[in-house]
Amino acid sequence: MPVAVVRRAVRETVSGLPREFWWLWTSTLINRLGAFVATFMALYLTLDRGYSASYAGLVASLHGLGGVVSSLVAGVMTDRFGRRPTLLVAQVSTAGSVALLGFMQDPVAIAGVAFLVGMASNASRPAVQAMMADIVRPEDRVRAFSLNYWAVNLGFAVSSIGAGFIAEFSYLAGFLIEAGMTLVCAFVVFAKLPESKPVQVAKETAPAVGLGTVLRDGRFMSVVGLSFLVALVFQQGSVGLPIAMGEAGFTPADYGTAMAVNGVMIVVLQIPVTRFIEHRDPRRLLVVSSILAGYGFGLTAFAGSVGVFTLTVCVWTLAEIVNAPTQTGLVVRLSPVHGRGRYQGMYTLSWALASLVAPVMSGLVIDRFGAAYLWGLCAVVGTVAGLGYALLMRRLPTEDSVLAPVRDSARASVPGARPASLADDVTVEVGPAAVGCGPALEAAPVPVPVLIPAPASASPTESAPA
């Protein structure tokens, strides 16, 4: 491919995104580069500490349970106290609890601190996603979420390699390095990221958004349910697949070889695939990616060699690349501006619950019926999720049709403002400065009312990006 074409593709991929996004992206990358503990926790407990595999599984479950609890708590904190304070608390708490875990000797203390690590490390996700939605223009959000997802996987790929070398030297060093890099993330947030929580100007037009509001939002909770189904399928890559390959006589190295393709594909293909899907119909993308994920794992039933296992990984990895940014963008689209934290927390909860249910589900199905039934079940679940997205999103309004009434109403309140166009958006004051998503309104001294959409179950709308 000509160098000029590559340069143009890279420039178009990264251009137009605000500086604050890149600092947030940098924080994410640093965080994932230092994510050593999740990689070697099981080896640390079984090989270094001498505990049983059952105890290691219990600690992993408690770590996941902490993530379930913090999903909702962090969502509420994100909306009530702001994105920046929530991120700082989450990252400082993560650094402290990870460092503490490295010094724990008693099995009960290890399990308890692992729960705290799960809570702290998962608490930053709703805040990151809400802040990203605040500072990035609606038309650029899929690209932004994709770039963030790319950073997560790039960092994880590098940290997985580094974790092996660090574990040979000292497990404690791994805990302390992760704690130190998490503190670096907190410093980046503190020094470079202003608060992006939208200022609620017209309170009488903005109904309060609580967890009850989210639970009563039928359309959004349906998305959460479908996300849970898709997450159950994707979790089998790290839960069901190693068990099935082990029972079939393959070695851990064989599993590592097959799974390495997942990280390589995401790092190589995430950006070009995003350029292809960025402005395409999200309904079709979610339907296709859900079915592709289900049948990608379903094909594993016919795998008899490392090469075929690797081929199945390629299929469901492509589904993952398409699904992740598209689904995250849909969550933002269905979330009221002043409830983004709670909505993102509920969405994060669907993945946290899947990480708890998937190990139990895969173990029971494989033990009682065999691995082939698990892969068949994945195909069924993927198909159900795809059909669910097709039915749910039949009347989902386009982004332009959602934003146009908000722009027109806002501009009507500004004397002498020029007519709105679809390229414009509303500027909302965030913290000490305003983050503009589109051309600014001419009459700057006149406050622009923030319009809060009705619950998405009735008519999913999106106000001005805050």
Side-chain angles (χ1 to χ4, degrees):
M1 183 180 293
V3 176
V5 175
V6 174
R7 286 180 178 176
R8 184 173 67 250
V10 172
R11 184 171 60 252
E12 292 176 354
T13 299
V14 303
S15 64
L17 295 171
R19 180 179 57 187
E20 291 83 0
F21 165 79
W22 290 112
W23 283 117
L24 190 59
W25 183 91
T26 301
S27 175
T28 298
L29 180 61
I30 295 172
N31 182 271
R32 298 311 299 172
L33 285 172
F36 301 120
V37 173
T39 304
F40 62 64
M41 176 60 77
L43 294 176
Y44 166 70
L45 292 175
T46 55
L47 298 182
D48 189 67
R49 293 296 186 189
Y51 294 113
S52 66
S54 298
Y55 174 76
L58 172 64
V59 172
S61 296
L62 288 172
H63 183 276
L65 181 62
V68 170
V69 173
S70 69
S71 296
L72 298 180
V73 175
V76 174
M77 288 178 60
T78 298
D79 284 338
R80 181 168 296 179
F81 304 112
R83 285 67 160 131
R84 188 168 177 264
T86 303
L87 272 175
L88 288 172
V89 170
Q91 291 174 344
V92 172
S93 299
T94 300
S97 58
V98 165
L100 181 63
L101 183 60
F103 292 98
M104 292 296 100
Q105 301 290 331
D106 182 75
V108 175
I110 292 174
V113 177
F115 174 79
L116 296 178
V117 171
M119 283 190 65
S121 60
N122 198 59
S124 62
R125 294 182 182 180
V128 168
Q129 292 167 342
M131 179 175 278
M132 204 167 293
D134 293 339
I135 63 182
V136 176
R137 295 181 301 178
E139 60 267 29
D140 292 331
R141 282 179 186 150
V142 170
R143 180 158 54 101
F145 286 128
S146 180
L147 285 167
N148 191 68
Y149 189 66
W150 182 80
V152 168
N153 283 277
L154 176 62
F156 181 75
V158 175
S159 69
S160 297
I161 298 172
F165 292 103
I166 293 173
E168 290 184 1
F169 170 71
S170 168
Y171 283 102
L172 178 59
F175 286 99
L176 297 180
I177 291 173
E178 176 166 344
M181 296 190 75
T182 306
L183 284 178
V184 172
C185 295
F187 175 78
V188 170
V189 171
F190 178 78
K192 296 296 183 180
L193 286 173
E195 176 57 59
S196 69
K197 179 184 175 183
V199 177
Q200 196 165 334
V201 179
K203 291 188 177 181
E204 65 276 4
T205 65
V209 177
L211 286 177
T213 308
V214 183
L215 293 172
R216 291 190 298 270
D217 189 335
R219 185 192 290 269
F220 179 79
M221 290 306 298
S222 297
V223 169
V224 171
L226 294 173
S227 171
F228 172 75
L229 294 180
V230 172
L232 277 180
V233 175
F234 282 126
Q235 287 288 333
Q236 299 311 317
S238 57
V239 176
L241 186 59
I243 297 175
M245 290 185 69
E247 288 192 348
F250 293 94
T251 65
D254 294 329
Y255 168 72
T257 300
M259 282 300 296
V261 176
N262 173 259
V264 172
M265 282 187 65
I266 291 175
V267 171
V268 173
L269 295 180
Q270 185 71 61
I271 293 177
V273 170
T274 298
R275 282 172 50 80
F276 177 76
I277 69 173
E278 187 174 1
H279 299 296
R280 297 183 183 272
D281 182 5
R283 181 179 69 171
R284 293 182 181 178
L285 294 175
L286 290 171
V287 170
V288 170
S289 63
S290 299
I291 294 176
L292 195 62
Y295 282 89
F297 279 99
L299 290 173
T300 310
F302 304 99
S305 66
V306 176
V308 179
F309 276 112
T310 302
L311 181 61
T312 64
V313 172
C314 291
V315 175
W316 58 258
T317 297
L318 183 59
E320 183 181 358
I321 291 172
V322 174
N323 182 274
T326 306
Q327 188 158 249
T328 308
L330 175 64
V331 170
V332 174
R333 190 167 165 182
L334 296 178
S335 306
V337 172
H338 293 283
R340 278 178 179 156
R342 289 175 172 87
Y343 274 68
Q344 290 290 352
M346 187 64 70
Y347 169 65
T348 302
L349 178 65
S350 67
W351 283 84
L353 284 175
S355 69
L356 287 180
V357 174
V360 178
M361 181 190 78
S362 59
L364 289 175
V365 173
I366 291 175
D367 286 342
R368 294 192 177 186
F369 305 104
Y373 281 87
L374 175 65
W375 308 129
L377 180 61
C378 286
V380 172
V381 172
T383 302
V384 170
L387 292 174
Y389 279 119
L391 294 173
L392 180 69
M393 299 178 65
R394 280 185 303 175
R395 291 184 294 274
L396 185 70
T398 63
E399 194 123 49
D400 285 340
S401 66
V402 169
L403 289 174
V406 179
R407 299 186 191 103
D408 294 342
S409 176
R411 291 182 180 279
S413 66
V414 182
R418 59 182 172 80
S421 67
L422 291 179
D424 296 331
D425 207 340
V426 180
T427 299
V428 179
E429 183 183 355
V430 288
V435 175
C437 297
L441 299 180
E442 279 79 351
V446 180
V448 178
V450 177
L451 305 182
I452 305 301
S457 57
S459 178
T461 58
E462 186 174 285
S463 182

